[in-house]
Amino acid sequence: MEGKAIVITSGKGGVGKTTTTANLGTALAMLDKKVCLIDADIGLRNLDVVLGLENRIVYDLIDVVEGNCRLEQAMIKDKRNPNLFLLPAAQTRDKDAVSEEQMKNLIKELKEKMDYVLVDSPAGIEQGFRNAIAGVDLGLIVATPEVSSVRDADRIIGLLEAEGLNDPQLLINRLRRDMVGRGDMMNIDDIVEILAVEVLGVIPEDENIVISTNKGEPIVLKDKTYSGKAFNNIAKRIEGQDIPLMTIEKESLFNKVKRIVGLS
Amino acid sequence: MQIINTKMTAKGVIIDFDWKYDFDVIKDSLKSHFEEAGSFYEGTDLFFKVGQNELELNYFKELFEIAENFLSSETGIYLVGQEDNKESSDISKENRPKKEAIIEEVSFKGDTVLVKGTIRSGQAVEHPHNLVIMGDVNPGAEVKAGGDIIVFGRLMGLVHAGAGGKKEAQVAALRLAPTQIRIANKISRPPEDNDDQIFSPEKAFIKEERIIVEKIDF
């Protein structure tokens, strides 16, 4: 069966696209799925660093589309999980080195081999973004509970819909329970009211993420951390086993937020 | 002498042709030289050396056309001559005046090139022969040379010496901590948990088909 290609995008920079891609990819691979992550941020690659695979890069995405190597040669197998692969971006090239057509063909080829293809999109709405969304089946939008981030997410949803990528899903990142409790931060309902899309998951602000990113070890490997658990749950929802559980999960998380605030 | 010889000077690069060869051979050699050099000559002025030869204008036109195909319009191309020494041929060697009085030559010897400054992420330095970098090579940067590479600083990015297949090529750095190191067709990466910050110069080379890293003893 053909795999599913998902783009992780946001428009705004620094909201956690790369961290999300690395963690969801690892989490899906831990569910015994074959996953390939594509870093579409040509010229500003990061995904390899977050996964701790930088020193294994020999060929990259540009080498593949230019025919300097075969696709298999450029795919780096993760050092922890044999189901996970990374197709790194080129660092010394720019976004025009690849075309939408080439990306489409690449993703088509990967979908035949993989259960999931996750594309890490660059920030912005220019050519890099257009390349990242070419040939994918689903848009996953990452937004933080800030007005600017939500505004950009809204713009991205519009652009995705214009490209025929309907029903994108939302991932709310860096939510601070204490601030939501005090009414200092937008809550999930506020965001959903503006964006009117399905929420796939919520990830709390967690300083462990910074540590894991710097170490090159995805947080999902530590299921005890709250954020790691959140990513693992999202991976399970992507797997689609239980869509009703998603709402329960979302509510329980929300209740948990309320509960903790109530206790404090 | 090779068919084409290059010399770095303060004003630009002098390209000297050995006119003993057939003109087609010279043309091919120039072409492959530019191909190898990549964007190395970008923004540098080039000086084609005529020497004392009497040559057809068409020859130079053709050479210019080759150069123009590979270089941007910002690169100036000039012809340089040499003092006619026919009359001075009977002067003894010791007293002969210096012939190449064109451009002041700086410290470059042979085909080694010096690059000053930090090479940052996303930047790439490439040269067909030896390369000396006075500064750090940051992670995400690429340094590639046909010959040896010496880094007077911390080498933390990707480095490829002997890129054309020269197995004797070496890499040396004041601190050798590259993301990945390649010599000729061999690839190696440093051990995962190597974060000693000690500043000790090291060199890397191929020994028994493997890349070996060794401390430089003074």
Side-chain angles (χ1 to χ4, degrees):
Chain A
M1 208 189 83
E2 204 180 53
K4 196 174 185 185
I6 304 172
V7 61
I8 288 115
T9 185
S10 73
K12 190 179 182 298
V15 296
K17 290 181 292 294
T18 302
T19 312
T20 301
T21 311
N23 281 291
L24 282 189
T26 308
L28 284 166
M30 289 197 302
L31 296 173
D32 269 339
K33 297 288 154 193
K34 283 193 93 174
V35 185
C36 183
L37 310 179
I38 302 181
D39 192 347
D41 203 348
I42 318 282
L44 280 171
R45 70 173 184 210
N46 281 142
L47 191 52
D48 53 324
V49 180
V50 172
L51 286 163
L53 298 174
E54 188 186 14
N55 56 13
R56 294 170 194 232
I57 297 175
V58 177
Y59 296 110
D60 54 50
L61 193 151
I62 303 295
D63 288 317
V64 175
V65 299
E66 287 183 350
N68 298 332
C69 71
R70 284 175 292 115
L71 177 58
E72 292 78 13
Q73 287 177 295
M75 284 164 67
I76 302 167
K77 193 187 269 187
D78 185 56
K79 53 187 172 189
R80 295 155 289 246
N81 197 318
N83 288 327
L84 183 65
F85 297 87
L86 168 69
L87 186 56
Q91 180 69 340
T92 54
R93 303 290 291 271
D94 63 40
K95 303 200 154 61
D96 302 319
V98 60
S99 72
E100 288 170 53
E101 200 54 43
Q102 286 168 326
M103 285 297 285
K104 262 184 199 159
N105 293 335
L106 186 69
I107 284 167
K108 202 175 156 214
E109 199 181 334
L110 276 169
K111 271 166 68 174
E112 286 165 14
K113 304 174 206 278
M114 298 286 153
D115 296 313
Y116 288 99
V117 179
L118 304 187
V119 186
D120 183 20
S121 150
I125 52 172
E126 295 83 21
Q127 192 55 45
F129 165 73
R130 308 217 154 268
N131 289 338
I133 64 168
V136 301
D137 308 304
L138 175 71
L140 191 58
I141 292 142
V142 184
T144 56
E146 290 160 272
V147 179
S148 55
S149 170
V150 172
R151 183 69 56 86
D152 289 357
D154 196 36
R155 174 99 171 93
I156 289 290
I157 293 166
L159 290 170
L160 287 177
E161 279 169 352
E163 293 293 324
L165 277 170
N166 292 318
D167 303 321
Q169 301 206 311
L170 182 67
L171 220 151
I172 299 168
N173 195 12
R174 309 185 67 174
L175 191 80
R176 287 182 60 172
R177 304 167 240 175
D178 51 337
M179 285 183 74
V180 173
R182 289 199 303 269
D184 291 337
M185 185 178 256
M186 294 170 93
N187 65 29
I188 297 163
D189 290 344
D190 297 335
I191 298 168
V192 171
E193 201 182 303
I194 299 168
L195 299 178
V197 287
E198 203 176 341
V199 178
L200 186 65
V202 180
I203 302 132
E205 172 94 325
D206 186 352
E207 58 181 30
N208 287 314
I209 295 236
V210 180
I211 300 167
S212 96
T213 306
N214 289 345
K215 273 191 184 163
E217 287 168 5
I219 192 94
V220 286
L221 298 168
K222 297 190 178 73
D223 199 41
K224 276 179 192 154
T225 58
Y226 197 39
S227 53
K229 211 177 186 77
F231 276 121
N232 275 320
N233 284 342
I234 293 161
K236 280 173 195 156
R237 279 178 214 134
I238 291 176
E239 259 293 271
Q241 329 160 339
D242 27 29
I243 292 162
L245 192 136
M246 201 182 85
T247 37
I248 296 162
E249 195 73 44
K250 196 184 100 190
E251 267 183 8
S252 79
L253 180 78
F254 195 45
N255 285 341
K256 208 169 177 183
V257 171
K258 274 186 181 165
R259 185 166 48 82
I260 288 159
V261 169
L263 282 172
S264 61
Chain B
M1 172 159 163
Q2 292 172 306
I3 306 165
I4 285 180
N5 279 285
T6 55
K7 197 182 276 179
M8 294 286 295
T9 69
K11 286 190 184 167
V13 179
I14 303 176
I15 298 187
D16 194 0
F17 304 92
D18 189 346
W19 297 106
K20 283 201 297 286
Y21 289 91
D22 193 53
F23 184 61
D24 285 330
V25 177
I26 293 175
K27 275 201 301 188
D28 286 345
S29 176
L30 184 68
K31 253 183 223 164
S32 56
H33 181 77
F34 281 133
E35 271 164 19
E36 256 186 274
S39 58
F40 179 70
Y41 287 130
E42 224 45 62
T44 321
D45 285 340
L46 293 186
F47 298 87
F48 284 0
K49 206 162 164 185
V50 195
Q52 307 145 48
N53 302 282
E54 283 165 26
L55 293 151
E56 275 180 50
L57 182 62
N58 278 348
Y59 279 21
F60 279 103
K61 268 190 188 159
E62 283 188 49
L63 292 179
F64 277 149
E65 273 165 21
I66 293 170
E68 275 170 350
N69 278 336
F70 287 97
L71 305 167
S72 71
S73 53
E74 282 159 43
T75 309
I77 308 168
Y78 306 91
L79 287 181
V80 287
Q82 203 169 43
E83 273 178 47
D84 196 334
N85 66 346
K86 270 175 197 156
E87 295 140 64
S88 61
S89 57
D90 44 18
I91 305 173
S92 69
K93 266 190 178 173
E94 291 78 32
N95 298 332
R96 198 180 288 175
K98 225 185 165 198
K99 281 184 286 177
E100 290 174 28
I102 325 143
I103 299 157
E104 183 202 355
E105 200 177 327
V106 284
S107 63
F108 301 101
K109 200 182 167 193
D111 291 315
T112 300
V113 156
L114 182 73
V115 177
K116 280 183 189 167
T118 308
I119 318 296
R120 294 180 189 280
S121 180
Q123 294 177 331
V125 179
E126 227 176 284
H127 181 59
H129 304 290
N130 302 325
L131 201 50
V132 178
I133 308 224
M134 301 282 284
D136 292 348
V137 177
N138 285 354
E142 292 180 20
V143 177
K144 200 170 166 184
D148 296 344
I149 296 171
I150 298 172
V151 178
F152 257 73
R154 291 173 297 173
L155 172 50
M156 299 173 288
L158 188 154
V159 63
H160 192 175
K166 195 179 162 198
K167 286 186 172 167
E168 312 81 63
Q170 294 200 354
V171 177
L174 292 188
R175 191 164 120 73
L176 192 67
T179 319
Q180 201 181 79
I181 189 163
R182 305 181 189 173
I183 298 176
N185 59 350
K186 298 272 179 285
I187 299 181
S188 174
R189 50 169 200 265
E192 298 273 314
D193 49 352
N194 189 13
D195 20 270
D196 51 335
Q197 293 286 323
I198 315 154
F199 233 92
S200 75
E202 287 179 311
K203 64 178 175 184
F205 51 91
I206 295 184
K207 192 178 174 186
E208 286 157 9
E209 298 293 298
R210 291 182 64 198
I211 296 178
I212 307 277
V213 174
E214 210 175 75
K215 240 183 195 165
I216 300 173
D217 288 323
F218 294 100

